[in-house]
Amino acid sequence: MLFKGLSFPITSHSVDLWKTFIDETEFRNFIVWLEDQKIRHYKIEDRGNLRNIPSSDWPKYFEKYLQDVNCPFSVQERQETVDWLLGLAVRFEYGDNVEKYRNCKPVTETNDVQKSADPLINLDSNNPDFKAGVLALANLLKIQRHDDYLVMLKAIKILVQERLTPDAIAKASQAKEGLPVTLDKHILGFDTGDATLNEAAQILRLLHIEELRELQTKINEAIVAVQAIIADPKTDHRLGKVGR
């Protein structure tokens, strides 16, 4: 399972985590892992339906689970749901280990001069025009929604800096030169009965392997980001009930 090796759940500040889910089964396993290991809203004997991954009724059980934990998002809003559940898991993890995390120092600390120079500090996040503008930009750039509009704006800022600057665009437009591959050296594992189809299948398999490598790289980057974030946990009292 993708998240089996993690000692701490990814927080709501992890960007694009939902993209790491390979398929529906992976997503369901992740939700069960969160409930079993971190959230623990249900008693163990009441988690049977949620653990029944292959069931065609699983979406119905998941919808009830979201209602039971007071999640403000629906099953159709998967990105937002994952983000919210992760935030809830972080809150419970911190609540269970207050002494462990109390004295943790952030990996990076911003001094008062830098904070005062941050233009986002002086923005009125409750202004309706501000909210409408941030939401429009988030939809345009396909950035998932967050209940804190300043968080969304910071995500937009990061995306623009990393993807939309002249240097980033120039780098992305550069053609990638790959190494020549001899298909004869790669075993397909099955035979379609047609030599041309066999070659096409070999090429698709190699492309799939390359995509998996890129996915693993993104997962590793997400884990590194988690290790930096958990050093500065923040409690959001809007996330749910107090205690368990």
Side-chain angles (χ1 to χ4, degrees):
M1 182 178 170
L2 204 64
F3 299 88
K4 186 176 180 181
L6 293 182
S7 59
F8 195 89
I10 295 177
T11 74
S12 62
H13 297 284
S14 300
V15 180
D16 291 338
L17 173 65
W18 64 275
K19 293 182 180 178
T20 64
F21 298 125
I22 299 174
D23 54 24
E24 179 67 19
T25 300
E26 186 69 27
F27 171 76
R28 295 182 182 186
N29 277 318
F30 170 69
I31 297 299
V32 173
W33 180 85
L34 269 184
E35 168 60 20
D36 281 344
Q37 301 298 323
K38 301 299 176 183
I39 299 177
R40 302 191 295 275
H41 180 80
Y42 288 159
K43 295 180 180 179
I44 295 178
E45 59 269 23
D46 295 333
R47 300 174 190 170
N49 289 335
L50 204 61
R51 288 174 173 173
N52 189 9
I53 304 297
S55 173
S56 59
D57 291 329
W58 192 90
K60 179 176 64 176
Y61 303 140
F62 181 47
E63 183 176 14
K64 184 179 185 303
Y65 175 70
L66 294 179
Q67 294 172 354
D68 291 342
V69 296
N70 297 320
C71 178
F73 301 106
S74 66
V75 292
Q76 289 78 22
E77 298 172 297
R78 179 162 294 188
Q79 298 177 37
E80 292 79 5
T81 297
V82 168
D83 184 77
W84 190 90
L85 289 175
L86 286 168
L88 184 62
V90 170
R91 175 176 178 267
F92 286 153
E93 174 69 15
Y94 179 69
D96 290 343
N97 301 276
V98 174
E99 295 301 324
K100 177 181 178 181
Y101 297 115
R102 176 173 293 171
N103 298 322
C104 289
K105 295 182 180 180
V107 176
T108 58
E109 294 183 351
T110 306
N111 59 39
D112 293 337
V113 175
Q114 290 174 320
K115 288 182 178 180
S116 62
D118 187 351
L120 299 183
I121 297 295
N122 300 320
L123 290 175
D124 180 8
S125 59
N126 294 319
N127 186 291
D129 292 335
F130 170 78
K131 291 183 177 181
V134 171
L135 191 58
L137 280 174
N139 291 335
L140 180 64
L141 298 174
K142 300 186 184 302
I143 292 176
Q144 69 185 71
R145 286 181 292 166
H146 193 280
D147 56 354
D148 189 333
Y149 283 79
L150 283 177
V151 171
M152 275 200 296
L153 186 58
K154 289 179 180 178
I156 293 170
K157 176 184 174 183
I158 292 172
L159 178 63
V160 170
Q161 288 176 335
E162 294 184 354
R163 301 288 180 85
L164 300 180
T165 59
D167 290 341
I169 294 174
K171 184 177 180 180
S173 62
Q174 292 176 354
K176 295 183 179 180
E177 295 184 3
L179 297 174
V181 176
T182 304
L183 294 179
D184 295 340
K185 294 182 179 180
H186 297 273
I187 300 175
L188 180 58
F190 60 90
D191 186 8
T192 64
D194 185 290
T196 302
L197 288 179
N198 285 344
E199 287 189 358
Q202 286 177 305
I203 293 171
L204 288 174
R205 170 167 288 183
L206 291 173
L207 291 174
H208 178 59
I209 292 174
E210 179 64 21
E211 289 179 348
L212 289 178
R213 287 175 178 170
E214 292 180 0
L215 175 61
Q216 185 62 54
T217 299
K218 292 179 180 179
I219 293 172
N220 293 338
E221 291 174 350
I223 293 174
V224 172
V226 170
Q227 293 172 343
I229 293 171
I230 61 175
D232 185 24
K234 295 179 177 63
T235 301
D236 188 341
H237 298 286
R238 295 171 298 176
L239 290 177
K241 62 185 182 182
V242 177
R244 278 182 284 171

